Amino acid sequence: MQMTLETLGQLERRLHVAVPKAQIEGEIHKRLAQLAKTAKVPGFRPGKVPFKMVAQQYGPQVRSDVISRVLGEHVLDLSQHSDKAIFEAVWGYDFGSSSNSLGVYMGYLRRKTEVGDEPRLLHTVRGVGYVLRSAP
């Protein structure tokens, strides 16, 4: 995985995170294979469900879980950082308590990670900060 922090202006930064597609796809395939061993689908014995059917039925949720886990491992553990700490780590500057800049950028990140009907990954924990998880 490769992370780069680009300075766009005096107060603006862009964090680029590149995760090899093979790493994500490999983990998804591994998780689906494990799930196929125990999946219960009408008309099939447990462990005998075709992989393609398991991928079709459970693929989006597994993909969301894998992406969440990979981001959680490699990017900031947002649940342990206050707004001020995130400002300092990402922008090198504290915008102050009256700024909504972090909320705006977290909104951008939410829109990029929530595709279609997939569940929310980035949650706000009032008075603490943010947490990255697949369930509320």
Side-chain angles (χ1 to χ4, degrees), residues 12 83 86-87 91 95 98-112 122 124 130:
E12 190 173 355
D83 290 0
I86 295 171
F87 281 135
W91 289 282
F95 288 87
S98 63
S99 174
N100 70 341
S101 299
L102 185 59
V104 169
Y105 284 101
M106 289 300 172
Y108 294 156
L109 186 56
R110 279 189 181 116
R111 285 189 287 280
K112 286 184 178 258
L122 187 62
T124 302
Y130 298 89

Side-chain angles (χ1 to χ4, degrees), residues 52-119:
K52 191 172 184 176
M53 187 177 281
V54 171
Q56 183 179 14
Q57 187 170 356
Y58 299 105
Q61 180 62 41
V62 169
R63 179 178 212 74
S64 173
D65 290 346
V66 167
I67 290 171
S68 176
R69 189 188 58 76
V70 168
L71 286 175
E73 285 178 0
H74 297 294
V75 182
L76 292 172
D77 179 10
L78 297 176
S79 65
Q80 295 180 0
H81 297 290
S82 66
D83 290 0
K84 182 177 180 172
I86 295 171
F87 281 135
E88 291 292 333
V90 176
W91 289 282
Y93 178 80
D94 181 10
F95 288 87
S97 60
S98 63
S99 174
N100 70 341
S101 299
L102 185 59
V104 169
Y105 284 101
M106 289 300 172
Y108 294 156
L109 186 56
R110 279 189 181 116
R111 285 189 287 280
K112 286 184 178 258
T113 58
E114 295 170 14
V115 180
D117 293 337
E118 293 186 20

